[in-house]
Amino acid sequence: MIFSNKLITWYLENKRFLPWRETKNPYAIWLSEIILQQTRVAQGLPYFEAFLNTYPTVTDLANAPEDDVMRLWQGLGYYSRARNLHATAKKVAYELNGNFPTNYKDLLTLKGVGEYTAAAIASIAYDEVVPVVDGNVFRVLSRVYGITSDISANSTKKEFQELAATLIPAEAPATFNQAIMDFGATQCTPKSPDCSVCPYINDCVAYATNQVSTLPIKLAKVKVKKRYLDFLIILDANGNTIIEQRTEKDIWQQLYQFPLIDSFKHNAEDINDYVKEKFDSLYIKEVLTLTNEAITHQLSHQKLHIKFWGVRVDNIPTDSTAWAELNKFGFPIVIHNFIKSLDLKTLIY
DNA sequence: AACCCGGGGGG
DNA sequence: CCCCCAGGGTT
């Protein structure tokens, strides 16, 4: 199977008619590519028309007040795109004599132009043979070739760039790049593509192996929060301490712990004051740092930074627990390990 | 490598 | 309500 032949045949019959395809003007092509970053064609189209009508040349855009540019961008989101757009227009107009860089490498130096956009402009405006890799390309190639790499991993982009580089025909890079994106946008859609009319129905690995709905693989990026836990090991001279049960709807529910200062940002700079406030019945003799470096403990959704503090007291509530009895309670493993590691003699004297 | 940046539409 | 959109910049 010659991938590009089928693709371009499909494209010639099914391509969308888009205004930036009617020109080789690098200004118009650059403008369209910036507008279309993470933006659907239907949403970007009116903005493209408005910008080109208001600023027919890159010099017009460069000469515009920034407020005007931002107002014209209003509603499109990702406003750094508009600021970079204006900055790049000024650079092209004032430093490059109004001429855009004419190759991939030099286009990359422009603000707001990354690997995808540089490849798009270089191929579409200047026929450089460099493949684009955008969300559509990830989807199309992962399905046709059955690639199961996680596309949310940065390293995966290189894998797709290398594959696409073997597929892009030297005589038609502009057509190929636009074709594969159109194909992804209208035929090989994210959900429920109509594979019955797909030219790759007899070639597609995902179709043959029933993976169309699961490719490309984009691992759910679990949001891992940082959390800072400071446990207070309160001890009297007889080796009695205080523990409490975790009852909140939270990690470690029903397990036991030492009294806790819990925060999502690092504090614990003044354990003394906190302890006096919370346990004012206790006479504090001394607060000791038991962990110089915080102990990190990785959970699925949280990264815990844990410190243990020793608090030596004279009197302790009668519901305290003897240190030797702690093994009768269930603790989170990170606390259990710390209890095991602690030499009590260093605290009681 | 992780995080932030946005408004919008499809399913 | 979740996912994704012709990604890039910053830390």
Side-chain angles (χ1 to χ4, degrees), chain A residues 39-58:
Chain A
T39 303
R40 291 172 183 277
V41 165
Q43 186 187 5
L45 249 174
Y47 287 86
F48 175 79
E49 303 285 9
F51 268 88
L52 211 52
N53 286 336
T54 308
Y55 309 116
T57 71
V58 68

Side-chain angles (χ1 to χ4, degrees), chain A residues 268-311:
Chain A
E269 58 267 2
D270 216 332
I271 299 295
N272 265 307
D273 287 353
Y274 177 85
V275 174
K276 284 175 183 166
E277 218 170 278
K278 183 169 180 179
F279 300 97
D280 57 351
S281 66
L282 303 176
Y283 176 64
I284 302 165
K285 295 169 68 176
E286 193 176 4
V287 175
L288 304 168
T289 303
L290 302 181
T291 45
N292 289 324
E293 296 286 313
I295 299 167
T296 61
H297 189 67
Q298 187 72 53
L299 304 177
S300 61
H301 290 71
Q302 299 182 28
K303 184 171 187 176
L304 308 180
H305 298 253
I306 299 169
K307 286 187 177 179
F308 292 93
W309 303 86
V311 182

Side-chain angles (χ1 to χ4, degrees), chain A residues 186-240:
Chain A
T186 66
Q187 168 62 42
C188 195
T189 51
K191 292 183 180 176
S192 310
D194 183 4
C195 297
S196 70
V197 298
C198 178
Y200 298 107
I201 188 166
N202 293 320
D203 311 299
C204 180
V205 173
Y207 184 77
T209 59
N210 196 27
Q211 296 184 88
V212 172
S213 62
T214 58
L215 291 179
I217 289 175
K218 190 173 192 174
L219 264 40
K221 30 185 154 185
V222 184
K223 172 75 173 173
V224 178
K225 285 186 176 176
K226 290 182 179 178
R227 189 169 176 180
Y228 298 87
L229 305 179
D230 291 276
F231 290 107
L232 309 179
I233 299 183
I234 301 170
L235 279 170
D236 69 5
N238 298 319
N240 295 309

Side-chain angles (χ1 to χ4, degrees), chain A residues 144-199:
Chain A
V144 174
Y145 290 93
I147 299 171
T148 56
S149 307
D150 172 22
I151 67 165
S152 64
N154 283 354
S155 55
T156 302
K157 182 157 73 169
K158 187 178 179 186
E159 182 182 356
F160 281 79
Q161 285 171 331
E162 289 173 354
L163 171 58
T166 69
L167 303 175
I168 187 171
E171 67 278 12
T175 303
F176 177 87
N177 278 340
Q178 296 187 81
I180 195 169
M181 291 191 284
D182 245 21
F183 184 77
T186 66
Q187 168 62 42
C188 195
T189 51
K191 292 183 180 176
S192 310
D194 183 4
C195 297
S196 70
V197 298
C198 178

